[in-house]
């Protein structure tokens, strides 16, 4: 993971956020990309991952197409959330089965 700080265009002495280059180790749902950029705004809702750590991240696509972490309480250090992974896989498997039924 690499981090690049972005200066605020309106107030150049401040940083508006950071762009993280992520290496994805496992995808549970949707994205097929294994390297992606994460936009993390410099505000009260920022995720601020530590470089070198592994995370479970629930991602949101912003209006400009960039990705941010949905800090919904489930995103966080993988070591603290590993128990969620089998539950998420099971739910996604059930959803795919429902979505594949005729008339849906």
């Amino acid at each position: 993971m690499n981090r690049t700080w972005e200066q605020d265009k309106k107030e150049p002495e401040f940083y508006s956020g950071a762009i993280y280059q992520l290496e994805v180790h496992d995808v549970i749902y949707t994205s097929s990309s294994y390297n992606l950029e994460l936009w993390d705004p410099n505000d009260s809702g920022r995720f601020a991952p530590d470089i070198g750590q592994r995370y479970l991240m629930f991602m949101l696509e912003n209006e400009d197409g960039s990705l941010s972490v949905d800090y919904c309480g489930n995103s966080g250090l993988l070591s603290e959330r590993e128990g969620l992974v089998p539950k998420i896989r099971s739910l996604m498997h059930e959803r795919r089965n429902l979505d594949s039924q005729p008339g849906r």
Side-chain angles (χ1 to χ4, degrees):
M1 176 184 337
N2 294 317
R3 174 180 47 222
T4 305
W5 292 101
E6 294 289 311
Q7 286 187 302
D8 192 300
K9 289 177 177 43
K10 294 178 184 173
E11 300 179 60
E13 64 275 10
F14 296 104
Y15 292 105
S16 59
I19 297 174
Y20 291 85
Q21 302 285 330
L22 303 178
E23 178 183 346
V24 178
H25 294 272
D26 192 6
V27 176
I28 296 174
Y29 184 69
T30 70
S31 177
S32 59
S33 175
Y34 285 92
N35 292 299
L36 55 91
E37 285 189 351
L38 164 69
W39 166 248
D40 195 33
N42 189 21
D43 61 21
S44 61
R46 73 180 182 183
F47 186 67
D50 290 324
I51 294 174
Q53 297 291 325
R54 293 180 72 182
Y55 291 88
L56 173 64
M57 296 181 180
F58 292 84
M59 308 296 285
L60 298 170
E61 187 171 355
N62 300 310
E63 290 179 13
D64 64 0
S66 64
L67 296 173
S68 293
V69 173
D70 181 358
Y71 200 46
C72 59
N74 290 320
S75 295
L77 282 169
L78 182 60
S79 62
E80 297 173 359
R81 288 163 173 75
E82 283 185 287
L84 288 174
V85 174
K87 293 175 186 175
I88 296 165
R89 288 189 193 285
S90 176
L91 289 169
M92 297 317 305
H93 179 74
E94 290 175 23
R95 179 180 173 154
R96 284 187 198 104
N97 286 341
L98 286 172
D99 288 348
S100 66
Q101 291 179 1
R104 288 200 139 245

